[in-house]
Amino acid sequence: MEHRPEDLGSRMEIGVIGMTFSSEVSAIREYDRIDMTYVGGIHRATGAWTFEEAEGGTRVCYEIEFEPQGPMAGLLAQFIDFGQIHRQLMGKVFDGLHAHLARLGAA
């Protein structure tokens, strides 16, 4: 996985369940890692995509640590498992990635 200098700082907006998150590519280590920083929305977070060689392809993982931002998000976090919601959403992301790669003949 090679990258261009302009890839660093790339931003994406994610909207789900009436909430919006903004993330930014904060670091790229060629061939095995992309670090993300969540810079907007109801959470602040750091996350990392890692890529490892695996039998028959590449193993892709995503890890995140986040904290609610502001009093409303802090209150909601006492009743809503944001981690579980995030795991479910990322499961859909990985399912979509797998389906896309299968269409390309790469999965």
Side-chain angles (χ1 to χ4, degrees):
M1 171 185 70
E2 294 185 35
H3 73 280
R4 303 163 298 178
E6 62 268 24
D7 294 337
L8 194 61
S10 297
R11 292 185 83 154
M12 73 176 107
E13 302 286 326
I14 304 150
V16 62
I17 315 172
M19 297 177 277
T20 303
F21 305 89
S22 301
S23 63
E24 180 176 292
V25 176
S26 54
I28 301 172
R29 191 169 65 199
E30 283 197 48
Y31 306 110
D32 67 355
R33 185 179 178 104
I34 299 173
D35 291 335
M36 304 293 293
T37 302
Y38 286 71
V39 296
I42 66 169
H43 292 100
R44 295 298 178 269
T46 56
W49 292 88
T50 57
F51 308 89
E52 300 173 359
E53 287 185 32
E55 186 177 327
T58 302
R59 180 174 187 234
V60 180
C61 296
Y62 183 73
E63 294 181 28
I64 186 170
E65 290 189 31
F66 58 90
E67 290 291 326
Q69 247 350 86
M72 181 57 91
L75 178 65
L76 289 173
Q78 295 179 28
F79 303 99
I80 298 172
D81 185 349
F82 287 111
Q84 178 62 30
I85 292 170
H86 192 270
R87 282 186 290 280
Q88 290 172 343
L89 294 172
M90 289 306 293
K92 291 180 182 182
V93 168
F94 280 105
D95 290 347
L97 176 60
H98 187 266
H100 177 72
L101 292 173
R103 285 190 298 276
L104 296 175

